[in-house]
Amino acid sequence: MSDWESPDPAELIALNSDADWEALLDRYPALNPRPLQRCLEVAQAGGAATAVIETRYLDEDYRSEYSAFFSKTFAEISDTAHRVHFFRRALKADELWRLPDDHGYLGFMVIRPSWLGRVGRTMLAPPPELAPAVRTSVESTVSFFGQRLLIAAVPFAQQDTQFGRCAHAAAWICHYTAALRHDTHRRVMADFTLLADANVVEGRPVPSQGLTGLQLTNLLRDFGLPPLFYRMGELPTPNPNQNPPPHAPGQNPGEWDTRIVSIACRYLNSGFPVLIGTYDHAFVLIGYDREPRRGDTDWIRFIRHDDQRGPYLVVPDVLADVDPATGDAYGWWTMLVAPVPERLWLAPEPAERSGQNYLRAVSQEAVARGLVAERLALHTLHDRGHVTFRTYAITSTAFKAAAVDRGLDQVSAREYRLARLPRLVWVVEAVDRRKRRSGQPSVIGEAVFDSTSTDYDPRELIVRVPGALLVVQTDGTMRFPLATMRRACRSAAASQP
């Protein structure tokens, strides 16, 4: 480690060949090199031509780990980290203090001076082929030698294997994403070990053996993200009378409980990463894409951050989770933990159930009042199998801001922007499958709910269907019917259906 802090202040590395990338990987030998290797693959896929290694970097998360753990070990270890930045442009050394406008910043990764877990706090832009599927990206401002750079990515970090384990890293990814969204206050990595309740488990807290489900949910709650907890085999649906997916008696729920897919998608649509637990591992889902299948429902393929394998990895099949790169089996999923902002009291499943009911009822009333033809009505299209429902949470500020650009008519846009709404709302969209498959605007209606209302009686605020709009005012009076457009529009969410 004698040259760890050299050169001063940085080193520029041209990435012109596979040998250059291999040399960068070899520079940081690790007990488990896969997370670092995957980070380099992501940067390479983004077209990185230059790496800049910022030495003697004082990273808040690593410094917390050093103070709480590494400083107490007998081995000599530096209290500083490296931060490796990636650029699409082939930079010159004399440009570092004044970057050209077309620098093409791709993000950074922090490198710990410990070979047990090299990759610390990391923000790398998704690889282009997966970027449309990543639904939980957040923006972070980076200071690069006095220059402010912006990167949109999903945070990633690897466990250090002693002080923190996979559950700590997964919880930190969810938390740091929320902190960058301004949904909670920032907590450093060490807090996820130091503040875990050691009284609810057997054994010592350091070196850590991981987190139990109770420790995990308590930590997230204490850090301003009270989570919703779902156990495989006991998952809810918008229809409480719906039977569980068919399965053999005694079969492990991880082999058959497909309800996990729609549950995860509701949070990912909202921009919230979700933590998945198996019997011996934890990782984070950060997005999904949809593969249309002729004559069948679309196939959902998730994207994950796995602290032991790296960022932006594909999950081909949730019921038979195998790492495509190695063939290693992850094991059956056992639970889903969804950390959400404190005032998101209403759960998404009752919101979606009520949304479907309200959308159908208002659609039927619109037909009765002659505002839309029966064949174009939302409930008619739903009965014919052309409509599906999509649920997400969003700030009312973002929901209102999107009103004009998403293609709403002037009546709807005006009503949306003037409506009194809480900070967070649940939105249940009616999506025309045919338009979605052809890449057209596909949202034909939506129901908006108060996120602070109860699961037993979700409070509707806005319901729009082809031809008609309903607005509930703060005093409970209802404005209906307001004549509105019949065409489809885009979603207000950051990611489209």
Side-chain angles (χ1 to χ4, degrees):
M1 305 298 294
S2 59
D3 61 347
W4 179 252
E5 297 185 356
S6 298
D8 182 6
E11 179 179 352
L12 185 147
I13 298 175
L15 300 170
N16 298 322
S17 65
D18 290 343
D20 294 331
W21 288 96
E22 288 291 336
L24 184 55
L25 177 63
D26 293 342
R27 184 180 184 125
Y28 301 108
L31 176 65
N32 175 13
R34 290 187 60 191
L36 176 56
Q37 183 176 16
R38 177 57 184 166
C39 286
L40 297 181
E41 290 172 355
V42 169
Q44 188 173 20
T50 304
V52 178
I53 302 176
E54 184 182 356
T55 56
R56 193 170 171 72
Y57 179 65
L58 302 179
D59 179 65
E60 187 176 12
D61 286 288
Y62 172 65
R63 294 281 279 193
S64 74
E65 295 171 315
Y66 179 84
S67 176
F69 180 75
F70 290 110
S71 65
K72 298 177 174 61
T73 64
F74 180 71
E76 179 183 358
I77 186 169
S78 176
D79 63 347
T80 68
H82 285 184
R83 184 163 63 160
V84 185
H85 303 267
F86 295 96
F87 298 86
R88 290 194 188 95
R89 183 184 174 100
L91 298 175
K92 300 175 183 177
D94 61 0
E95 293 180 314
L96 297 188
W97 70 279
R98 195 172 188 178
L99 291 169
D101 293 338
D102 59 346
H103 50 71
Y105 189 57
L106 293 168
F108 67 88
M109 60 180 181
V110 170
I111 303 294
R112 299 185 183 102
S114 169
W115 83 295
L116 295 175
R118 283 291 190 189
V119 183
R121 182 173 61 96
T122 294
M123 291 284 286
L124 289 174
E129 70 274 11
L130 294 180
V134 175
R135 297 168 186 261
T136 59
S137 287
V138 286
E139 290 188 343
S140 177
T141 301
V142 180
S143 178
F144 181 80
F145 301 114
Q147 300 158 96
R148 294 170 65 84
L149 306 178
L150 190 67
I151 181 63
V154 183
F156 175 77
Q158 177 186 7
Q159 62 173 288
D160 65 67
T161 76
Q162 288 183 296
F163 185 58
R165 304 299 291 268
C166 60
H168 298 94
W172 177 89
I173 289 170
C174 294
H175 162 80
Y176 190 40
T177 301
L180 290 173
R181 287 168 54 103
H182 308 292
D183 285 338
T184 190
H185 297 293
R186 171 92 153 91
R187 306 302 292 255
V188 293
M189 184 75 79
D191 288 348
F192 288 82
T193 298
L194 295 177
L195 300 182
D197 188 354
N199 296 316
V200 299
V201 294
E202 298 175 338
R204 57 187 179 179
V206 178
S208 176
Q209 301 303 307
L211 295 174
T212 66
L214 181 59
Q215 285 180 305
L216 179 65
T217 54
N218 285 346
L219 266 179
L220 291 168
R221 181 197 63 217
D222 292 344
F223 292 172
L225 295 171
L228 287 88
F229 183 89
Y230 298 85
R231 191 179 302 279
M232 292 290 280
E234 303 171 6
L235 301 178
T237 63
N239 180 359
N241 299 318
Q242 182 177 342
N243 293 324
H247 59 281
Q251 189 179 13
N252 189 290
E255 293 182 279
W256 57 263
D257 203 345
T258 53
R259 296 173 294 186
I260 194 74
V261 173
S262 56
I263 288 173
C265 287
R266 293 181 189 111
Y267 294 104
L268 296 174
N269 290 337
S270 309
F272 304 145
V274 295
L275 190 151
I276 298 294
T278 68
Y279 286 109
D280 59 359
H281 192 41
F283 53 84
V284 179
L285 299 183
I286 62 166
Y288 69 92
D289 59 14
R290 180 178 289 105
E291 177 187 333
R293 295 190 172 185
R294 185 180 297 275
D296 198 358
T297 56
D298 294 345
W299 184 259
I300 299 296
R301 186 181 69 158
F302 287 108
I303 311 299
R304 73 171 135 222
H305 274 7
D306 179 354
D307 88 287
Q308 287 297 281
R309 290 172 170 84
Y312 305 116
L313 298 167
V314 173
V315 184
D317 188 347
V318 300
L319 301 183
D321 192 3
V322 174
D323 183 352
T326 64
D328 296 336
Y330 273 83
W332 294 315
W333 295 10
T334 61
M335 65 178 185
L336 181 149
V337 179
V340 298
E342 287 183 322
R343 294 297 177 88
L344 199 69
W345 295 343
L346 177 62
E349 289 76 32
E352 186 166 311
R353 177 175 65 250
S354 294
Q356 294 182 31
N357 292 337
Y358 277 116
L359 286 164
R360 288 185 61 87
V362 173
S363 176
Q364 291 166 351
E365 185 65 21
V367 171
R369 292 173 181 255
L371 298 173
V372 65
E374 178 83 32
R375 62 183 179 83
L376 301 176
L378 185 151
H379 66 280
T380 302
L381 298 176
H382 182 244
D383 290 342
R384 292 175 179 173
H386 298 320
V387 171
T388 187
F389 296 96
R390 176 179 186 252
T391 300
Y392 60 91
I394 188 173
T395 65
S396 56
T397 300
F399 182 72
K400 291 182 177 186
V404 173
D405 292 340
R406 55 187 292 219
L408 289 173
D409 62 290
Q410 289 190 2
V411 171
S412 299
R414 177 182 181 278
E415 293 295 331
Y416 281 23
R417 288 192 166 178
L418 295 180
R420 281 185 173 178
L421 301 175
R423 178 180 178 272
L424 290 165
V425 293
W426 280 108
V427 180
V428 181
E429 291 178 340
V431 177
D432 188 318
R433 286 192 172 101
R434 299 165 301 174
K435 294 181 182 296
R436 182 178 67 186
R437 288 200 174 194
S438 63
Q440 302 176 61
S442 58
V443 177
I444 61 172
E446 61 239 337
V448 180
F449 290 91
D450 176 3
S451 67
T452 65
S453 59
T454 173
D455 292 354
Y456 299 101
D457 185 22
R459 181 171 180 261
E460 81 283 8
L461 302 173
I462 298 171
V463 182
R464 181 184 65 84
V465 299
L469 173 66
L470 178 151
V471 178
V472 179
Q473 297 181 296
T474 310
D475 61 3
T477 58
M478 186 181 301
R479 301 181 62 224
F480 178 79
L482 301 170
T484 185
M485 66 186 196
R486 301 180 182 88
R487 66 180 182 274
C489 63
R490 292 171 54 81
S491 173
S495 59
Q496 294 301 305

